[in-house]
Amino acid sequence: MTAEQQESRRRPTISDVATRAGVSKGAVSRTFNGGKGISPGTMARIRAAAAELNWTPSTAARAVGGGPANAVGMVLRRPTELLELDPFFPAFLSGAESALTAVGYAAVLRFVDDSHTERECYEQMVGERRVDGFLLTDLRHRDPRFEWLSRLGTRAVVAGSPGRTCPFPWVSTGGADQVRELTRHLIAQGHRNIAHVSGLPSLRHARSRRQLWEDTLVEAGLQPGPVVTGDFTTEGGAQATRELLDTSPRPTAIFYANDLMAIAGLSVLSENGVKVPEEMAVAGFDDISLASYVTPALTTVRCDYRRMGQIAAHTLLAQLRNEDVAPQITIGGELRLRRSTGA
């Protein structure tokens, strides 16, 4: 291989860009870290040289030098099945990615199994300046991440309704009104024994949906029906439905905390000869694509998780630019009444 061929294969460096543009390496570095002290004409010449050489600045090098990492972190601690089937995360990530990539940012994902590893992961990502801030999902009761990230002095935006003690801005789908509306719909259909299949009790949104269901029944003068934990998985939803079929008196309606459990419940009811909605009304939450195609079509609450991700990412980016942001944004949900509740 000739020297020319070796040179053409060698990855270009900041020195090559500086030589091509006729400037110092410091000028190249400042150009790609805000351009402070560099004239527009010189920046244009440097960027043109970088483009000709197909050179891009190292994110890690910028971060070590005090520049932004141009990345946003997401640390996930949840069951494997929920990562595979959950409608929230792919839609939320898609929305966040669309906002981040538009300004040259990347999403850095980390998956952890326990709280100790989770905390270490946040500390490492901040300590090594791998990210400029975080998007927090899967809020937990008394979520320790608020304290961790506050102590680390990093920026964050929360997806969900964290309550008044949250130190970070948050974006919510606002499904509370729709859960109440759904429960009232079941009552209006004549149901007096309405059961609930809840999600993981440690997750804040699971506790919230259960509380909203219960409060609405009590306000109507009704005793809340039986509650079974289904952990948001299809297997959990199926097992919870079997348990409810064995209760006495048997409920006449079931509100599932997500559509995956509700669809699994429809299958169990069909296997046991229970007619929906004539003998059992069924409702879910999320409005996944299958919800309108199962038989009977599933009544559910629709939340725009993709838009939620976009707004959360835009809010975090605004924070990183030191702009004022709204402490709380609610985008709203929508009740979709279908045949599974007699609509």
Side-chain angles (χ1 to χ4, degrees):
M1 182 181 294
T2 67
E4 290 78 6
Q5 288 174 325
Q6 289 177 338
E7 179 66 22
S8 65
R9 282 194 167 190
R10 182 175 63 84
R11 182 174 179 175
T13 67
I14 190 172
S15 296
D16 297 327
V17 177
T19 300
R20 176 70 64 94
V23 298
S24 68
K25 290 193 294 183
V28 178
S29 177
R30 290 198 300 277
T31 294
F32 288 94
N33 280 291
K36 186 176 181 180
I38 307 296
S39 70
T42 299
M43 283 197 292
R45 192 166 74 251
I46 291 170
R47 291 185 181 278
E52 291 170 7
L53 293 170
N54 197 26
W55 178 85
T56 55
S58 164
T59 298
R62 285 203 310 267
V64 170
N70 284 0
V72 167
M74 293 182 68
V75 181
L76 303 172
R77 177 161 67 93
R78 49 160 59 195
T80 304
E81 183 180 356
L82 293 187
L83 287 172
E84 295 174 349
L85 302 174
D86 178 36
F88 166 78
F89 182 70
F92 180 86
L93 181 60
S94 171
E97 279 274 20
S98 69
L100 295 173
T101 55
V103 293
Y105 267 70
V108 178
L109 307 182
R110 293 291 184 269
F111 299 92
V112 296
D113 296 322
D114 55 68
S115 180
H116 177 72
T117 307
E118 181 182 34
R119 182 170 185 171
E120 286 186 339
C121 187
Y122 281 113
E123 292 173 347
Q124 182 184 45
M125 293 174 79
V126 172
E128 296 179 359
R129 298 181 59 85
R130 295 185 183 181
V131 299
D132 301 317
F134 293 91
L135 296 176
L136 303 185
T137 63
D138 295 339
L139 298 185
R140 300 186 286 275
H141 182 55
R142 297 177 181 173
D143 203 309
R145 293 175 292 178
F146 300 161
E147 180 183 356
W148 297 346
L149 296 184
S150 293
R151 287 184 176 180
L152 290 170
T154 190
R155 303 290 182 88
V157 172
V158 174
S161 301
R164 291 176 293 179
T165 60
C166 179
F168 305 113
W170 47 279
V171 181
S172 170
T173 56
D177 290 342
Q178 286 69 43
V179 172
R180 290 183 177 276
E181 187 180 355
L182 170 57
T183 307
R184 294 189 186 112
H185 162 69
L186 294 173
I187 295 171
Q189 295 291 93
H191 298 285
R192 297 297 178 266
N193 185 359
I194 303 173
H196 179 52
V197 176
S198 73
L200 294 167
S202 61
L203 293 177
R204 190 175 180 89
H205 61 276
R207 295 166 66 97
S208 174
R209 288 170 201 172
R210 173 177 175 171
Q211 192 64 54
L212 289 164
W213 158 84
E214 184 175 310
D215 289 347
T216 307
L217 289 172
V218 171
E219 290 167 5
L222 298 176
Q223 183 72 23
V227 177
V228 182
T229 299
D231 70 18
F232 285 131
T233 65
T234 51
E235 182 180 349
Q239 181 56 38
T241 306
R242 295 185 188 101
E243 291 184 34
L244 289 173
L245 289 178
D246 289 336
T247 59
S248 183
R250 178 186 287 183
T252 62
I254 307 174
F255 166 45
Y256 294 81
N258 76 350
D259 289 349
L260 290 178
M261 296 192 297
I263 290 172
L266 285 173
S267 178
V268 171
L269 294 173
S270 177
E271 291 171 0
N272 285 270
V274 179
K275 296 180 180 179
V276 178
E278 293 82 1
E279 297 175 278
M280 184 79 73
V282 171
F285 192 102
D286 284 331
D287 195 28
I288 63 176
S289 57
L290 285 176
S292 59
Y293 292 100
V294 294
T295 304
L298 182 66
T299 288
T300 184
V301 175
R302 182 181 185 275
C303 295
D304 193 342
Y305 296 131
R306 189 176 192 280
R307 185 172 175 228
M308 186 185 194
Q310 286 178 321
I311 294 175
H314 280 305
T315 302
L316 181 56
L317 291 169
Q319 271 195 311
L320 297 175
R321 295 190 296 266
N322 294 315
E323 299 174 3
D324 292 333
V325 299
Q328 168 185 344
I329 301 172
T330 302
I331 63 177
E334 182 182 353
L335 177 61
R336 298 289 180 88
L337 295 176
R338 299 188 179 111
R339 179 60 183 159
S340 69
T341 57

